[in-house]
């Protein structure tokens, strides 16, 4: 580079820095400016030798990212400084220790989080993308600003991708649409989400993008004229009300128009709502709601509203903090037009997301972002190993429509559509969820699988003796509830295993055998288990009973058997005595809510194996065929033949719960029924499904349906019932 070119470039760098300070959304103190200046100087020094693929100095990239963070997202000086430094540790001689020494632990932590994301693999396959996404979100635990700066970094990379090879453009654009746009949406960064989607489309479907963009530009004059026409009709009425406001059109994004064209199978010209009319008014906080509805009244006086399309996000803001009144009216020329009514404060929150939400927050309002991050963090920490499922579930939660339900005291709670009373219970508090016994919705008792609707009032019934069961996973839909249930079930399994270890020690002692590591390893092999915890769990739950333990003891005395057993046993299966794990053997497939065992064949198109997420499809001539949920034919089958689909899942047959009907006969006495139910539910922790008793001249007959894991538990239950004073006979029907 010539000296003149270097001077020119330095001038541009200085200009960009001044602009960064000028456009910052937050008011910067002198200390803030010093911090940003220091970060800027170090970034310039560190990146001095580097150039981007376009040929310009690399420093323009961190400055551009910092400008997005400062203006479009509106974050604080710490975030701006971290944005300037976000590539320093990755690409230059500076270390994380240097950053911590030069600045502070917070900035070092954010830069470290961003560096970790850079180090993640960038394989093209979707499972790697999903795993990277999960790891990236785990950095939220350190600081949410890590994710926000990463979104800003991705936005600037998308804005400057022209000099990259086409294959890389498509890969980065696809990842952006799959991962980054949904996060921006959930954080309330609507403008950035829209830009990411449009840029994603620009590189994944360039011709489609270009066609729609050209059509939007060509129709702009026509749209402006339509908005002038619309405004002139209501201007007088709004002025008469003494309102300060402005009306402007907001064209829909290229991406959203493309989505409408595909969904409705129409051309660009046939998409009617290509833009929305936005009325932004000035108001103090106290009168916002009143004025919004006054404007609604004026608009609907002149234009006929579509009552189905009214969205009141002022009374019940979105979980992102978004507030507005959306109405769809029949505008001039008989066209439906969406009208968005917002105060200046609401408009700022819609543009900036949480930064503006914080700016306007007063008193002790709930900190929505922190609450959301905490819930997301819990879901991440307890997530299953399958990252694709996690991402899909997370994305569903991002885009799912919310419902609003009331607590008994009238407080409003937002839940995803399809939520159940169990989800509601865990949304209130983990302890409430774990001890849920039932629920009343609008005063009526409902099953835990009941689907809630907006406006429902939900009252959770709890009991100290209640514990989660495996069935709960079929009733819970939110990530928070499911992760808490899974954790509780694992703890329960550990408790049963611990009890099993004590029982096994006692039983072996009576056989003159000591429970040591060798014995445990022998028993694990003998009973074909995978870990010692499996063995203890099976003993604790009664699957391995006295008879089986005696058979094992007898086998020890057979030297020949022992010799062959030791030869056949695989060395690598030597298990750790204290390994805290209960392995699930997915060896049985059950269908429907009743978990029925039916005849089936595994489909050849996707070859499911035990443990896969699957569904059953009833064929005309070949019975039930089982497909994986992500089978290439799944979407087609589920959309065309939904009535033939049966839900299915793999279970561990040794842990399956079975219904059994018991008949009781005896002499009636006061308190007998209470003693029976107490023995079953509280003493033996067995679930009762149905119960009925009749008494005739002092003789009673009863019928009870119970749910037990195995025959041993049922036998034990029947023996204990027989011991109750007054019961003459207990039989299984």
């Amino acid at each position: 580079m010539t000296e003149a070119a270097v001077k020119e470039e330095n001038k541009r760098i200085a200009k960009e820095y001044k602009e960064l300070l000028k456009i910052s959304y937050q008011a910067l103190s002198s200390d803030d400016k010093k911090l940003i200046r220091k970060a800027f100087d170090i970034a310039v020094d560190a990146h001095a030798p580097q150039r981007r693929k376009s040929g310009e100095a690399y420093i323009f990239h961190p400055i551009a990212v910092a400008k997005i963070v400062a203006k479009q997202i509106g974050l604080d000086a710490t975030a701006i400084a971290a944005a300037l430094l976000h590539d320093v540790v990755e690409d230059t001689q500076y270390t994380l220790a240097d950053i911590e020494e030069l600045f502070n632990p917070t900035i070092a932590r954010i830069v470290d989080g961003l560096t970790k994301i850079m180090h993640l693999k960038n394989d093209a396959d979707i499972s790697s993308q999903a795993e990277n996404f999960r790891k990236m979100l785990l950095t939220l635990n350190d600081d949410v600003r890590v994710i926000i700066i990463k979104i800003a970094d991705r936005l600037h990379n998308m804005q400057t991708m022209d000099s990259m090879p086409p294959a890389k453009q498509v890969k980065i654009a696809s990842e952006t649409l799959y991962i980054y746009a949904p996060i921006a949406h959930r954080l309330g960064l609507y403008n950035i989400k829209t830009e990411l989607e449009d840029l994603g489309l620009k590189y994944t479907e360039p011709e489609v993008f270009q066609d729609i963009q050209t059509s939007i530009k060509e129709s702009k004059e026509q749209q402006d004229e339509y908005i002038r026409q619309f405004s002139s009709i209501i201007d007088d009425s709004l002025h008469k009300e003494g309102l300060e406001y402005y009306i402007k059109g907001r064209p829909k994004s290229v991406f959203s128009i493309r989505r409408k064209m595909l969904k409705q199978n129409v051309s660009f010209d046939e998409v009617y709502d290509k833009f929305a009319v936005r009325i932004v008014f000035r108001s103090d906080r106290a009168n916002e709601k009143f004025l919004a509805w006054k404007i609604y009244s004026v608009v609907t006086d002149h234009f006929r509203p579509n009552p189905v399309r009214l969205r009141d996000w002022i009374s019940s803001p979105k979980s992102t903090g978004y507030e507005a009144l959306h109405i769809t009216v029949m505008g001039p020329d008989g066209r439906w037009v969406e009208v968005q009514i917002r105060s200046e404060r609401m408009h700022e929150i819609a543009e900036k997301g949480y930064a503006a939400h914080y700016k306007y927050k007063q008193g002790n309002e709930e900190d929505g972002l922190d609450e959301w991050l905490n819930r997301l963090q819990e879901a991440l920490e307890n997530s299953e190993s399958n990252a694709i499922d996690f991402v899909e579930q997370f994305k569903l939660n991002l885009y799912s429509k919310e419902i609003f339900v009331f607590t008994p005291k009238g407080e409003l709670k937002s839940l995803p559509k399809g939520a159940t009373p169990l989800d509601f219970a865990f949304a209130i508090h983990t302890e409430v969820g774990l001890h849920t016994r039932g629920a009343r919705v609008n005063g009526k008792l409902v099953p835990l699988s009941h689907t809630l609707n907006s406006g429902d009032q939900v009252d959770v019934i709890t009991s100290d003796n209640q514990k989660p069961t495996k069935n709960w996973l079929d009733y819970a839909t939110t990530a928070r509830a499911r992760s808490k249930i899974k954790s509780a079930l694992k703890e329960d399994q550990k408790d049963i295993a611990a009890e099993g270890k004590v029982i096994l020690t006692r039983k072996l002692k009576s056989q003159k055998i000591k429970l040591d590591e060798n014995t445990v390893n022998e028993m694990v092999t003998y009973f074909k288990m995978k870990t010692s915890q499996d063995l203890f769990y099976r003993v604790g739950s009664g699957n391995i009973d006295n008879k089986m333990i005696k058979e094992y003891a007898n086998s020890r005395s057979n030297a020949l058997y022992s010799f062959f057993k030791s030869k056949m046993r695989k060395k690598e299966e030597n298990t750790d005595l204290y390994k805290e794990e209960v392995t699930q053997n997915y060896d049985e497939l059950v269908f429907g809510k009743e978990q029925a065992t039916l005849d089936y064949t595994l489909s050849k198109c996707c070859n499911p194996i035990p443990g896969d997420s699957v569904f059953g499809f009833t064929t005309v001539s070949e019975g039930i065929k089982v497909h994986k949920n992500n089978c290439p034919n799944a979407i087609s089958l589920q959309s065309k033949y939904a009535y033939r689909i049966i839900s299915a899942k793999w279970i561990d047959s040794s842990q399956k719960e079975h219904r059994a009907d018991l008949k009781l006969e005896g002499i009636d006495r006061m308190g007998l029924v209470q003693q029976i139910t107490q023995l079953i539910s509280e003493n033996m922790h067995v679930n009762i499904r149905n119960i009925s008793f009749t008494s005739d001249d002092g003789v009673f007959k009863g019928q009870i349906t119970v749910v037990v894991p195995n025959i041993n538990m049922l036998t034990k239950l029947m023996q204990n019932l027989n011991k109750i004073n007054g019961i003459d006979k207990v039989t299984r029907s």
Side-chain angles (χ1 to χ4, degrees):
M1 278 180 81
T2 64
E3 198 177 325
V6 171
K7 272 187 179 175
E8 188 56 40
E9 191 172 77
N10 288 340
K11 266 189 197 173
R12 265 186 66 211
I13 293 168
K15 187 184 171 190
E16 290 285 315
Y17 168 71
K18 282 176 188 164
E19 198 176 321
L20 170 65
L21 296 179
K22 201 187 291 178
I23 62 170
S24 178
Y25 177 72
Q26 305 276 359
L28 299 173
S29 66
S30 57
D31 285 345
D32 289 340
K33 286 176 183 173
K34 280 178 193 168
L35 177 72
I36 295 167
R37 179 74 210 196
K38 190 175 179 183
F40 171 76
D41 288 342
I42 283 167
V44 169
D45 174 57
H47 293 299
Q50 292 174 301
R51 300 257 147 203
R52 298 191 85 200
K53 279 199 169 66
S54 59
E56 75 171 7
Y58 192 87
I59 187 62
F60 286 111
H61 169 64
I63 295 172
V65 173
K67 283 169 81 172
I68 293 167
V69 167
K71 186 183 182 184
Q72 286 179 257
I73 305 174
L75 290 191
D76 56 2
T78 301
I80 295 168
L84 286 166
L85 298 164
H86 79 270
D87 276 338
V88 163
V89 172
E90 173 65 17
D91 295 338
T92 74
Q93 75 277 12
Y94 282 89
T95 65
L96 199 63
D98 294 334
I99 300 297
E100 187 164 351
E101 194 179 325
L102 287 162
F103 294 93
N104 56 54
T106 304
I107 289 176
R109 193 170 63 238
I110 296 169
V111 172
D112 183 38
L114 288 157
T115 308
K116 279 176 188 163
I117 295 171
M118 301 264 189
H119 285 150
L120 297 174
K121 286 183 197 166
N122 281 318
D123 298 26
D125 63 281
I126 202 164
S127 60
S128 295
Q129 281 189 33
E131 186 53 32
N132 290 354
F133 171 64
R134 193 172 78 82
K135 286 176 183 168
M136 182 176 78
L137 285 176
L138 282 165
T139 61
L140 285 171
N141 194 30
D142 297 330
D143 201 306
V144 65
R145 287 170 290 201
V146 172
I147 294 293
I148 292 175
I149 295 166
K150 184 63 194 170
I151 289 170
D153 177 47
R154 177 53 62 110
L155 176 60
H156 186 247
N157 283 334
M158 290 292 292
Q159 289 167 341
T160 55
M161 268 210 308
D162 288 340
S163 52
M164 280 187 179
K168 200 162 185 186
Q169 288 175 341
V170 171
K171 184 197 165 301
I172 292 170
S174 303
E175 192 181 73
T176 300
L177 291 173
Y178 184 70
I179 289 170
Y180 291 93
I183 310 177
H185 173 87
R186 191 61 186 82
L187 287 170
L189 304 171
Y190 298 119
N191 291 352
I192 287 177
K193 169 237 182 187
T194 301
E195 197 175 343
L196 287 172
E197 285 179 338
D198 280 1
L199 288 165
L201 188 66
K202 177 184 172 183
Y203 291 105
T204 53
E205 297 182 74
E207 288 173 8
V208 173
F209 176 82
Q210 204 54 55
D211 288 348
I212 296 173
Q213 196 175 50
T214 305
S215 301
I216 289 171
K217 283 176 185 170
E218 285 169 359
S219 61
K220 188 177 185 309
E221 207 172 296
Q222 190 185 336
Q223 283 183 18
D224 289 346
E225 178 51 40
Y226 190 85
I227 289 161
R228 270 196 296 274
Q229 205 181 335
F230 184 93
S231 303
S232 65
I233 295 170
I234 58 169
D235 263 339
D236 284 347
S237 301
L238 290 172
H239 280 307
K240 277 178 191 169
E241 295 292 341
L243 293 159
E244 287 184 67
Y245 68 95
Y246 63 84
I247 301 176
K248 68 175 199 172
R250 183 192 71 88
K252 291 277 170 79
S253 69
V254 178
F255 186 84
S256 65
I257 290 172
R258 167 66 170 161
R259 193 163 48 203
K260 273 193 166 60
M261 286 164 65
L262 289 172
K263 193 177 175 184
Q264 297 165 8
N265 196 21
V266 293
S267 66
F268 177 85
D269 292 329
E270 291 170 295
V271 176
Y272 278 105
D273 51 347
K274 290 191 276 278
F275 64 94
V277 172
R278 190 173 284 160
I279 303 172
V280 180
F281 62 92
R282 180 165 290 175
S283 167
D284 56 19
R285 190 72 185 270
N287 290 306
E288 276 181 333
K289 194 172 178 181
F290 171 72
L291 291 179
W293 285 103
K294 184 180 263 192
I295 293 169
Y296 167 85
S297 176
V298 169
V299 172
T300 53
D301 280 347
H302 292 279
F303 303 109
R304 182 165 61 83
N306 181 339
V308 181
R309 300 288 298 153
L310 172 65
R311 298 286 180 269
D312 175 12
W313 282 308
I314 293 177
S315 303
S316 300
K318 283 188 180 182
S319 53
T320 54
Y322 179 83
E323 294 173 67
L325 203 55
H326 287 200
I327 53 174
T328 301
V329 298
M330 184 62 78
D333 305 331
R335 288 171 65 178
W336 287 111
V337 185
E338 185 184 69
V339 182
Q340 300 172 351
I341 302 167
R342 302 172 176 172
S343 68
E344 287 176 332
R345 179 189 69 84
M346 294 172 194
H347 182 61
E348 216 171 330
I349 288 172
E351 297 285 305
K352 292 280 184 300
Y354 273 101
H357 185 63
Y358 291 145
K359 175 181 168 182
Y360 286 102
K361 215 168 61 143
Q362 294 173 346
N364 294 316
E365 284 183 31
E366 191 171 57
D367 197 327
L369 180 61
D370 279 354
E371 186 189 348
W372 176 72
L373 292 173
N374 289 340
R375 290 195 179 183
L376 176 59
Q377 190 60 34
E378 283 172 1
L380 286 161
E381 285 166 355
N382 293 292
S383 69
E384 297 296 275
S385 57
N386 186 338
I388 293 178
D389 287 351
F390 172 80
V391 171
E392 289 306 330
Q393 191 177 10
F394 178 78
K395 284 176 72 185
L396 280 174
N397 283 345
L398 295 190
Y399 285 128
S400 68
K401 289 190 176 143
E402 289 173 304
I403 59 165
F404 296 95
V405 295
F406 294 93
T407 67
K409 291 181 179 176
E411 294 166 12
L412 205 59
K413 291 278 174 189
S414 71
L415 291 167
K417 198 173 180 181
T420 64
L422 209 48
D423 296 313
F424 175 82
F426 279 99
I428 297 293
H429 196 279
T430 302
E431 286 303 308
V432 173
L434 293 173
H435 295 103
T436 300
R437 203 175 109 225
R440 285 190 183 87
V441 174
N442 304 325
K444 289 181 184 173
L445 275 171
V446 296
L448 293 179
S449 56
H450 175 85
T451 302
L452 298 173
N453 296 308
S454 268
D456 282 346
Q457 189 158 29
V458 188
D459 185 8
V460 178
I461 303 161
T462 59
S463 164
D464 289 344
N465 298 322
Q466 183 63 51
K467 288 197 293 187
T469 67
K470 286 194 286 294
N471 293 341
W472 282 22
L473 291 171
D474 295 331
Y475 311 148
T477 62
T478 58
R480 175 187 172 83
R482 291 180 67 80
S483 68
K484 293 292 179 191
I485 293 164
K486 283 175 186 171
S487 296
L489 289 173
K490 279 182 185 170
E491 283 303 313
D492 202 30
Q493 286 180 329
K494 283 181 193 172
D495 292 345
I496 292 169
E499 194 181 330
K501 188 177 178 184
V502 174
I503 293 167
L504 187 60
T505 307
R506 194 171 64 243
K507 305 255 185 202
L508 288 175
K509 195 174 179 183
S510 69
Q511 300 290 330
K512 308 284 191 293
I513 299 170
K514 186 184 176 187
L515 183 73
D516 55 21
E517 192 168 345
N518 287 335
T519 306
V520 170
N521 286 337
E522 275 181 17
M523 290 187 83
V524 165
T525 308
Y526 178 84
F527 288 110
K528 296 182 178 137
M529 299 289 158
K530 287 191 179 176
T531 69
S532 56
Q533 287 295 99
D534 281 324
L535 173 71
F536 299 146
Y537 178 77
R538 297 295 192 273
V539 173
S541 59
N543 287 298
I544 296 175
D545 58 13
N546 267 347
K547 187 183 169 193
M548 294 161 83
I549 293 169
K550 278 178 185 172
E551 283 170 3
Y552 158 73
N554 292 337
S555 75
R556 275 174 67 105
S557 59
N558 185 331
L560 190 63
Y561 174 86
S562 297
F563 172 75
F564 280 119
K565 180 191 69 180
S566 63
K567 287 286 178 193
M568 289 165 71
R569 191 176 59 165
K570 292 177 185 175
K571 293 287 181 197
E572 62 269 21
E573 285 186 3
N574 185 14
T575 52
D576 178 4
L577 181 61
Y578 303 104
K579 188 171 181 183
E580 291 191 355
E581 180 187 344
V582 175
T583 311
Q584 280 200 313
N585 300 311
Y586 294 107
D587 58 358
E588 186 176 343
L589 190 59
V590 291
F591 296 88
K593 276 195 172 180
E594 295 300 315
Q595 297 200 1
T597 307
L598 306 170
D599 290 334
Y600 65 89
T601 53
L602 299 173
S603 67
K604 288 177 181 168
C605 56
C606 55
N607 292 318
I609 60 168
D612 282 338
S613 296
V614 291
F615 66 90
F617 178 70
T618 312
T619 62
V620 177
S621 56
E622 297 177 81
I624 296 171
K625 285 211 151 186
V626 174
H627 295 261
K628 288 190 341 195
N629 283 348
N630 60 357
C631 167
N633 299 320
I635 292 171
S636 169
L637 293 173
Q638 287 167 339
S639 58
K640 288 180 188 170
Y641 307 104
Y643 59 94
R644 291 199 202 167
I645 302 293
I646 313 173
S647 61
K649 69 175 180 179
W650 295 96
I651 62 162
D652 181 345
S653 61
S654 65
Q655 294 185 47
K656 186 180 176 184
E657 293 184 326
H658 305 270
R659 288 172 66 130
D661 295 315
L662 300 179
K663 283 185 177 176
L664 289 78
E665 293 175 25
I667 299 162
D668 198 6
R669 64 175 173 80
M670 188 75 76
L672 180 64
V673 174
Q674 186 187 354
Q675 198 176 347
I676 291 167
T677 54
Q678 192 172 4
L679 170 82
I680 299 170
S681 300
E682 293 181 25
N683 296 1
M684 298 196 69
H685 304 297
V686 170
N687 280 337
I688 300 173
R689 282 284 165 86
N690 287 311
I691 183 166
S692 64
F693 283 90
T694 56
S695 183
D696 186 15
D697 294 336
V699 175
F700 86 90
K701 287 186 179 179
Q703 186 143 348
I704 303 174
T705 304
V706 292
V707 178
V708 289
N710 51 55
I711 188 68
N712 297 325
M713 179 63 89
L714 185 64
T715 307
K716 195 173 173 185
L717 176 63
M718 290 170 71
Q719 287 168 352
N720 287 345
L721 285 170
N722 251 322
K723 291 175 187 173
I724 292 176
N725 180 26
I727 292 183
D728 182 48
K729 196 174 175 186
V730 180
T731 54
R732 183 178 171 193
S733 59

